[in-house]
Amino acid sequence: MKMRRVVVPIQEAQTGMLLAEEVRNAAGGVLLTAGTELDEAVLAGLCRRGVECLVVDRPDPRSETEIAEELARMEARVRHLFHRHRGNPELQLLMQAVLEYRRKALA
Amino acid sequence: MSPALSRETVLSRIADLPALPAVVGDILGAIEDEAETVERLVGRINADPVLVARILGAANAAAQGGRQRIGSLMDAITLLGFDRVRQLVLMTALVRQFQPLAPGFDPTAFWRHSFAVAVCAGVLARETAFGEELAFNAGLLHDIGQLLIVVAFPREFEAVLARMEALDSDIAEAEREVLGLDHGQVGSILAGCWRLPEAFVEAIDGHHQPDATNYEAYSNIVHVAEVLSYALDIGTVPRSAVPALSERARAHLGLSWPDVAGRFGEIEARYRAACLDLGF
């Protein structure tokens, strides 16, 4: 099955998930490398070290049509959120950053 | 229409709101003074079963992978860390105390928005090497003026909503037109009465008009954080729209959107975590 990369809060992390990115502590030291499988001991350790979020790969059951529909809904919503600022270059930059982020996250 | 609000009318109605919970005053006033406050805070939490339950709930959710249940407050503090516990206590105590009922006002939406701005402010502060906890807390409190407006001036609040709808404008703009003051200005009067540290008074006061005030970082951080929370669609409602951004505030913080974009996923996850922890 296709995988999808997501950031999850530690409360939603589950055993069996695979880390898509390394986990670092506040000082920047690597605690776990990408590819590590989460088990109970790993999760408890991360929690004790104050790690709040993880990047993991999750199975993605959506069809191509569903993905396309989701993308269209997302674009419409982002454009609505920014609709007061069509002529503002600064906020257009932010809107482009959000659109790019969402396209990557949804595709 | 009743006369516009003045500082005096606002001051005369502050007692319409419940008092600031003592535990909130402790936490906000004592960030720099941690060692001495741990014992006092633990004492306060232990005297309040709702706070204890919230912290144990969050600790057990965080430790869901492990087999042992977290049953004591001290174990929960060890697991979550004192910073997280302080944050949870602050959010729980504020949400519990301030649930005003008024036409057109949704307390759950209000607190979700406050969490969203708090999370964005915390992350932006870290990116710009300012105090993460102070920024988070300022974000959490940034709209407290609105609580007073809906409680003490509900008719005027309805007029503000109608104006905002008619003009498709920011709420702060509609408030300045209808009331003469926006909720940031009202909130700063409230924060002053509650004797919150000056950094909060300033951050709350200037968050919709950072260019009109001359405040330092935290006012700018909360302003940019609010824009970012709408841009990321967290803590929003269907009709929400991104408010005006002060380019000066963003530039002053030295933030660039491409850099901030690297934090979007983390911001969304932290916002979700805050809602989960608070049972929203």
Side-chain angles (χ1 to χ4, degrees):
Chain A
M1 184 179 286
K2 224 166 53 110
M3 301 300 270
R4 181 179 183 182
R5 187 152 295 187
V6 288
V7 186
V8 294
I10 191 118
Q11 296 98 314
E12 288 177 2
Q14 286 164 5
T15 54
M17 283 180 169
L18 289 179
L19 280 182
E21 287 178 11
E22 63 196 11
V23 176
R24 291 172 180 269
N25 61 18
V30 175
L31 296 175
L32 292 170
T33 52
T36 304
E37 182 174 340
L38 300 180
D39 61 24
E40 291 184 3
V42 167
L43 278 173
L46 290 175
C47 192
R48 271 197 305 278
R49 285 173 179 78
V51 173
E52 292 176 42
C53 304
L54 304 171
V55 184
V56 296
D57 284 327
R58 262 183 181 167
D60 182 0
R62 296 169 306 164
S63 70
E64 290 303 319
T65 322
E66 284 168 330
I67 293 175
E69 284 167 2
E70 235 179 281
L71 274 169
R73 271 199 303 277
M74 175 281 287
E75 291 228 13
R77 176 63 178 165
V78 172
R79 289 188 195 286
H80 163 77
L81 287 166
F82 282 88
H83 75 273
R84 289 184 200 150
H85 308 292
R86 291 201 180 95
N88 180 323
E90 180 71 22
L91 283 167
Q92 288 298 310
L93 267 180
L94 176 57
M95 186 177 86
Q96 289 309 325
V98 172
L99 282 171
E100 200 178 310
Y101 162 73
R102 294 240 182 272
R103 285 187 196 118
K104 234 187 253 168
L106 283 178
Chain B
M1 179 57 58
S2 43
L5 298 192
S6 65
R7 191 180 162 80
E8 287 64 39
T9 47
V10 171
L11 282 169
S12 72
R13 301 302 295 272
I14 282 180
D16 290 14
L17 266 187
L20 190 71
V23 70
V24 171
D26 274 4
I27 291 174
L28 296 178
I31 283 171
E32 319 229 333
D33 193 16
E34 185 167 319
E36 198 190 295
T37 62
V38 172
E39 207 177 323
R40 186 153 76 157
L41 185 56
V42 169
R44 282 216 197 271
I45 296 169
N46 265 324
D48 188 332
V50 174
L51 293 180
V52 173
R54 178 70 74 209
I55 290 161
L56 291 181
N60 280 298
Q64 35 100 12
R67 286 199 176 81
Q68 98 276 27
R69 276 193 62 78
I70 309 292
S72 82
L73 181 59
M74 290 321 287
D75 286 349
I77 292 174
T78 308
L79 182 74
L80 296 173
F82 202 65
D83 290 354
R84 277 283 306 288
V85 168
R86 206 160 39 204
Q87 200 177 82
L88 277 169
V89 169
L90 191 60
M91 293 196 290
T92 305
L94 285 169
V95 169
R96 178 175 56 179
Q97 188 84 331
F98 299 108
Q99 292 281 333
L101 290 174
F105 184 77
D106 175 352
T108 302
F110 174 89
W111 285 115
R112 279 176 180 271
H113 169 66
S114 300
F115 297 166
V117 175
V119 166
C120 289
V123 170
L124 291 179
R126 204 180 44 204
E127 288 291 299
T128 49
F130 287 102
E132 190 173 343
E133 183 168 2
L134 208 162
F136 182 97
N137 293 346
L140 201 55
L141 294 168
H142 79 287
D143 272 350
I144 51 171
Q146 203 135 67
L147 296 170
L148 182 59
I149 291 174
V150 301
V151 167
F153 310 100
R155 277 213 322 265
E156 290 84 347
F157 180 66
E158 282 189 273
V160 166
L161 293 181
R163 187 79 187 145
M164 187 174 112
E165 186 89 31
L167 295 185
D168 186 27
S169 69
D170 292 355
I171 189 160
E173 223 172 285
E175 285 167 342
R176 286 192 293 271
E177 262 183 55
V178 175
L179 306 173
L181 293 176
D182 68 34
H183 63 270
Q185 295 164 313
V186 173
S188 73
I189 299 171
L190 184 57
C193 271
W194 282 343
R195 299 184 191 289
L196 296 183
E198 196 54 26
F200 292 111
V201 178
E202 293 186 357
I204 293 166
D205 190 15
H207 80 271
H208 275 286
Q209 284 191 303
D211 294 353
T213 51
N214 205 17
Y215 298 138
E216 290 307 311
Y218 293 97
S219 179
N220 291 332
I221 288 177
V222 171
H223 171 76
V224 177
E226 177 153 51
V227 170
L228 185 57
S229 75
Y230 281 105
L232 287 175
D233 209 6
I234 54 175
T236 50
V237 294
R239 55 180 305 285
S240 295
V242 174
L245 170 74
S246 153
E247 161 59 5
R248 189 185 136 279
R250 186 205 54 78
H252 194 257
L253 292 169
L255 284 166
S256 83
W257 295 128
D259 291 345
V260 178
R263 298 278 162 236
F264 286 173
E266 180 193 345
I267 288 171
E268 288 179 324
R270 281 178 183 267
Y271 168 71
R272 244 185 5 258
C275 290
L276 281 174
D277 281 343
L278 270 286
F280 274 58

